[in-house]
């Protein structure tokens, strides 16, 4: 399909995100969006900050701000950091937007009209000392499944078990630390997921392009039998519970559950994009208005899969309306921090702002792609980072680009030479490059994150091997025409590297493209090595760029280890 809708998991509003968030959703989504755009496809990449729920209230209180001001400020911070890392969102919205509020209330009412929302008397935890019911995330305790001591009332971050607050062992209030808790009755709205069991099973069976990892997580929940889920909470900050244009009686002090309104924000953010740019959000989301020919891809960490394979599709299917549902869900594992999880709340790991203070964005983009937590949890190490930057980027790619362009400047006046004809070595190279381009294209299309990086590096290595064997610095002394062929071929390789590397390292790719007079952003190359390595015109001026990648020194690693408290 020529139109591709991409969404990545909404980063939560409570502070700057760590590298695990970048590696687990936003970066692979951005790489794929850039790749698909380069192939000439119409791409819409949507993301947003997830702003409702208890953690936003707690973070705002800790910052001494009202929650609206806090969210507005943090949205701006996250947007700017994402752009600094090269996130090519077409829109980065806010789940607190008027568009999302309206859509959330619409979905809730549509579900109720179809008999899938009902009021229930609930028994929830009430904090006597705080004088209020405690939403799930205002309660922590020991996980009854794995024994983790800081499990939340809705989910355990350690084992990903979905929980109810009353399941926790020795629970306490996050607000005050009080254990003076009791269970009281209150009324809440429930989404009757149990009634959607068969429909969701059929829907999942129809998702033939779902990767096995995401499918297995969804099947686990279906096999266990879906439970009805509460979709309102006792909070002030969130989407109000409205019915027929008026506050629902008895729900004036309640809002919709953050995980109810958050996935709807994918649609809401697209409507925000429409209002800001004049685009048409309906042709991306309504199958009766053009979205039937859209391929929809979602990117997220494994802990979010349930919400996007059960809850959100259930909301869409249960509405009875022709909304677009996801075609492929790329789920990733966790990037860990020396045996522990990265943690925003506990400030554990390297965060996006600090990361940019010590290395340029492309260094992180390459490292996190080449070492993606794709098929298993991956542990961050400084040694791996050093290898990715020093060996891959500096020694292989950067060295090749600077080496051949400086040679051209010195020996050919900085102009692509015209003399000579390709020989047997070039003919072999043409065939090898054709195979490498095909492999890179296949891996990017399949959203094989690590394999994409491996295929890309293999092409970089091929250029160095060619240059080493062809040895233009020797040929120039005895056969200038032969040296001209080698230089011309190698400079075409430089241009090719800019085109295929742009999805992963866009800033360096732009510098490389400009050095050889190529447009940016680039189009994807042809699958023909001969075409690609004879494409640049002779006589074009080229210039060696400044050093593309500075090597990481031992002193850098020592300083970073001391700063971030790991690697010792």
């Amino acid at each position: 399909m020529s139109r591709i809708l991409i969404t990545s998991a909404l980063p939560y509003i409570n502070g700057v995100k760590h590298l695990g968030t970048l590696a687990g959703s936003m970066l692979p989504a951005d790489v794929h969006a850039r790749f698909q755009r380069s192939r000439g496809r119409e791409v819409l990449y949507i993301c947003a900050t997830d702003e409702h729920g208890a953690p936003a209230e707690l973070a705002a209180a800790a910052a001494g701000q009202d929650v609206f001001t806090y969210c507005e400020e943090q949205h701006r911070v996250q947007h700017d950091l994402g752009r600094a890392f090269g996130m090519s969102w077409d829109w980065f919205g806010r789940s607190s937007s008027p568009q999302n509020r309206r859509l959330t209330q619409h979905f809730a009412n549509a579900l109720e009209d179809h008999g899938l929302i009902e009021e229930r008397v609930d028994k929830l935890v009430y904090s006597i000392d705080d004088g209020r019911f405690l939403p799930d995330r205002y309660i922590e305790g020991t996980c009854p499944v794995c024994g983790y001591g800081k499990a939340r009332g809705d989910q355990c971050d350690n084992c990903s078990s979905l929980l109810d607050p009353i399941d926790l062992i020795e629970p306490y209030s996050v607000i005050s630390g009080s254990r003076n808790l009791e269970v009281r009755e209150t009324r809440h709205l429930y989404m009757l997921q149990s009634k959607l069991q068969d429909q969701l099973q059929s829907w999942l069976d129809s998702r033939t392009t779902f990767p096995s990892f995401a499918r297995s997580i969804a099947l686990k929940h279906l096999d266990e039998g879906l439970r009805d889920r509460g979709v309102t909470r006792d909070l002030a900050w969130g989407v109000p519970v409205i019915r027929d244009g008026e506050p629902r009686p008895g729900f004036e002090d309640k809002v919709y559950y953050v995980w109810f309104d958050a996935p709807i924000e994918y649609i809401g953010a697209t409507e925000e994009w429409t209002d800001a740019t004049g685009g048409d959000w309906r042709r991306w989301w309504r199958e009766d208005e053009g979205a039937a020919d859209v391929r929809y891809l979602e990117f997220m960490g494994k802990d979010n899969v349930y919400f996007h394979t059960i809850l959100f599709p259930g909301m869409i299917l249960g509405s009875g309306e022709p909304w677009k549902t996801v075609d492929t869900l790329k789920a990733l594992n966790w990037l860990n921090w020396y045996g522990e999880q990265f943690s925003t709340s506990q400030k554990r790991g390297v965060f996006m702002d600090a990361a940019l203070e010590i290395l340029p964005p492309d260094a992180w983009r390459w490292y996190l792609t080449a070492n993606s937590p794709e098929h298993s949890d991956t542990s961050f190490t400084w040694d791996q980072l050093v290898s990715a930057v020093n060996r891959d980027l500096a020694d292989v790619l950067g060295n090749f680009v600077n080496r051949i362009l400086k040679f051209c400047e010195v020996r050919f006046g900085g102009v692509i030479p015209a003399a000579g004809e390709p020989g047997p070595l070039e003919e072999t190279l043409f065939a090898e490059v054709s195979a490498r381009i095909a492999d890179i294209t296949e891996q990017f299309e399949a959203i094989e994150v690590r394999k994409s990086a491996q295929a890309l590096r293999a092409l970089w290595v091929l250029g160095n091997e060619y240059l080493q064997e062809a040895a233009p610095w020797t040929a120039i002394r005895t056969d200038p025409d032969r040296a001209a062929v080698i230089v011309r071929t190698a400079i075409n390789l430089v241009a090719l590297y800019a085109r295929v590397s742009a999805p992963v390292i866009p800033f360096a790719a732009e510098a490389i493209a400009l050095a050889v007079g190529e447009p940016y952003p680039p189009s994807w190359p042809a699958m023909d090595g001969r075409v690609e390595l004879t494409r640049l015109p002779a006589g074009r001026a080229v210039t060696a760029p400044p050093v593309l990648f500075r090597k990481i020194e031992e002193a850098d690693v020592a300083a970073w280890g001391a700063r971030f408290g790991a690697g010792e």
Side-chain angles (χ1 to χ4, degrees):
M1 294 182 179
S2 60
R3 289 200 293 138
I4 300 174
L5 173 63
I6 296 174
T7 62
S8 54
L10 309 187
Y12 199 68
I13 197 67
N14 62 335
V16 173
K17 301 298 102 178
H18 51 66
L19 294 180
T21 300
L22 190 64
S25 57
M26 289 190 289
L27 178 57
D30 180 69
V31 169
H32 195 69
R34 287 176 176 274
F35 165 71
Q36 293 292 0
R37 290 189 193 106
S38 75
R39 302 212 75 187
R41 291 160 183 161
E42 186 181 359
V43 173
L44 188 66
Y45 176 20
I46 295 293
C47 195
T49 38
D50 180 5
E51 299 188 8
H52 291 141
E57 288 190 345
L58 292 171
Q65 295 177 297
D66 66 87
V67 68
F68 179 85
T69 301
Y70 175 83
C71 289
E72 189 173 48
E73 180 181 291
Q74 291 301 314
H75 171 80
R76 192 161 49 248
V77 168
Q78 293 200 29
H79 170 273
D80 292 350
L81 279 171
R83 292 297 191 196
F85 267 97
M87 295 300 108
S88 61
W89 305 304
D90 290 284
W91 189 256
F92 187 68
R94 302 181 63 185
S95 69
S96 62
S97 69
Q99 294 88 340
N100 194 48
R101 174 178 293 199
R102 179 188 60 78
L103 281 163
T104 298
Q105 293 164 345
H106 170 83
F107 270 98
N109 292 336
L111 288 165
E112 187 168 13
D113 290 342
H114 284 80
L116 294 169
I117 294 280
E118 71 176 22
E119 288 189 26
R120 290 183 180 177
V121 175
D122 232 342
K123 291 184 177 180
L124 297 179
V125 176
Y126 187 88
S127 172
I128 296 172
D129 293 336
D130 295 317
R132 61 177 293 175
F133 284 101
L134 297 179
D136 300 349
R137 291 201 176 201
Y138 277 40
I139 309 166
E140 289 183 356
T142 299
C143 175
V145 178
C146 71
Y148 178 60
K150 289 184 69 66
R152 301 191 310 266
D154 61 344
Q155 187 173 4
C156 176
D157 281 340
N158 188 58
C159 69
S160 297
S161 294
L162 300 177
L163 304 172
D164 286 323
I166 58 176
D167 295 334
L168 295 174
I169 300 167
E170 297 184 348
Y172 58 88
S173 165
V174 173
I175 302 172
S176 62
S178 172
R179 297 185 184 274
N180 191 15
L181 311 177
E182 65 181 28
V183 177
R184 293 186 181 180
E185 289 188 348
T186 184
R187 297 189 69 82
H188 277 289
L189 297 182
Y190 270 72
M191 179 177 166
L192 307 185
Q193 288 188 139
S194 57
K195 288 187 174 183
L196 292 164
Q197 173 91 27
D198 293 341
Q199 194 174 2
L200 281 166
Q201 182 70 64
S202 297
W203 173 81
L204 184 64
D205 291 342
S206 73
R207 302 296 92 175
T208 56
T209 59
F210 258 41
S212 58
F213 182 41
R215 180 182 298 277
S216 67
I217 295 174
L219 286 173
K220 175 179 179 291
H221 290 286
L222 287 167
D223 291 345
E224 292 173 352
L226 297 183
R227 295 186 298 172
D228 299 337
R229 190 172 188 97
V231 294
T232 52
R233 294 293 187 268
D234 292 284
L235 284 170
W237 175 242
V239 177
V241 183
I242 301 294
R243 179 69 184 176
D244 298 325
E246 298 292 335
R248 190 184 191 100
F251 285 75
E252 294 85 354
D253 296 325
K254 303 178 193 293
V255 298
Y256 285 105
Y257 175 40
V258 62
W259 265 114
F260 188 81
D261 80 76
I264 297 171
E265 169 59 8
Y266 297 131
I267 307 173
T270 313
E271 188 175 351
E272 294 171 48
W273 165 78
T274 288
D275 292 344
T277 67
D280 182 0
W281 69 272
R282 291 179 175 273
R283 68 189 286 264
W284 293 94
W285 284 105
R286 294 281 303 198
E287 292 194 337
D288 58 340
E289 299 189 41
D293 68 352
V294 169
R295 184 182 177 215
Y296 176 22
L297 310 175
E298 291 179 347
F299 291 77
M300 69 198 57
K302 60 185 176 182
D303 53 331
N304 288 341
V305 170
Y306 158 80
F307 299 102
H308 293 79
T309 57
I310 302 295
L311 182 63
F312 188 33
M315 292 158 58
I316 289 177
L317 297 175
S319 74
E321 299 172 340
W323 298 98
K324 179 68 182 176
T325 56
V326 64
D327 295 299
T328 296
L329 191 152
K330 180 68 175 182
L332 294 102
N333 288 274
W334 286 324
L335 177 71
N336 290 325
W337 175 255
Y338 288 93
E340 297 182 283
Q341 287 186 27
F342 276 81
S343 172
T344 299
S345 60
Q346 298 179 40
K347 306 299 182 184
R348 183 191 302 126
V350 179
F351 289 73
M352 289 173 65
D353 54 353
L356 290 177
E357 292 173 7
I358 63 176
L359 283 173
D362 277 347
W364 294 110
R365 289 178 65 104
W366 173 252
Y367 167 73
L368 294 173
T369 300
N371 296 278
S372 170
E374 187 172 20
H375 300 299
S376 63
D377 289 353
T378 301
S379 184
F380 172 93
T381 70
W382 294 115
D383 288 344
Q384 285 181 343
L385 177 65
V386 170
S387 177
V389 173
N390 290 4
R391 294 176 59 188
D392 298 347
L393 295 180
D395 288 345
V396 179
L397 177 59
N399 178 62
F400 176 83
V401 171
N402 280 278
R403 191 180 185 188
I404 192 61
L405 291 181
K406 285 184 177 179
F407 185 82
C408 181
E409 286 182 343
V410 171
R411 294 294 190 170
F412 293 94
V415 173
I416 298 176
E421 294 294 332
L425 191 59
E426 285 70 43
E427 294 295 334
T428 299
L429 181 66
F430 295 158
E432 291 176 333
V433 166
S434 295
R436 294 297 182 193
I437 296 173
D439 185 29
I440 295 169
T441 305
E442 179 183 352
Q443 303 309 331
F444 273 126
E445 283 285 7
I447 322 179
E448 289 288 344
V449 181
R450 282 198 178 204
K451 288 182 179 179
S452 298
Q454 292 165 1
L456 193 54
R457 188 185 189 279
L459 181 61
W460 298 344
V461 169
L462 193 62
N464 283 276
E465 291 173 344
Y466 167 72
L467 208 58
Q468 200 63 32
E469 186 173 357
W473 44 86
T474 300
I476 193 70
R477 295 196 295 266
T478 58
D479 190 347
D481 284 359
R482 175 63 189 153
V485 171
I486 298 167
V487 169
R488 187 168 65 249
T489 302
I491 293 176
N492 273 279
L493 268 175
V494 170
L496 175 62
Y497 290 170
R499 298 172 78 187
V500 296
S501 304
V504 183
I505 48 172
F507 300 100
E510 182 174 14
I512 294 169
L514 293 175
V516 294
E518 286 291 279
Y520 192 89
S523 60
W524 195 251
M527 301 295 153
D528 188 326
R530 180 184 300 276
V531 169
E532 288 303 318
L533 298 191
T534 58
R535 192 173 58 83
L536 300 187
R540 175 184 288 182
V542 297
T543 306
V547 174
L548 291 169
F549 303 101
R550 181 185 71 83
K551 283 194 171 186
I552 300 172
E553 306 292 340
E554 289 185 9
D556 296 325
V557 176
W560 299 341
R563 175 178 176 181
F564 298 103
E568 299 176 2

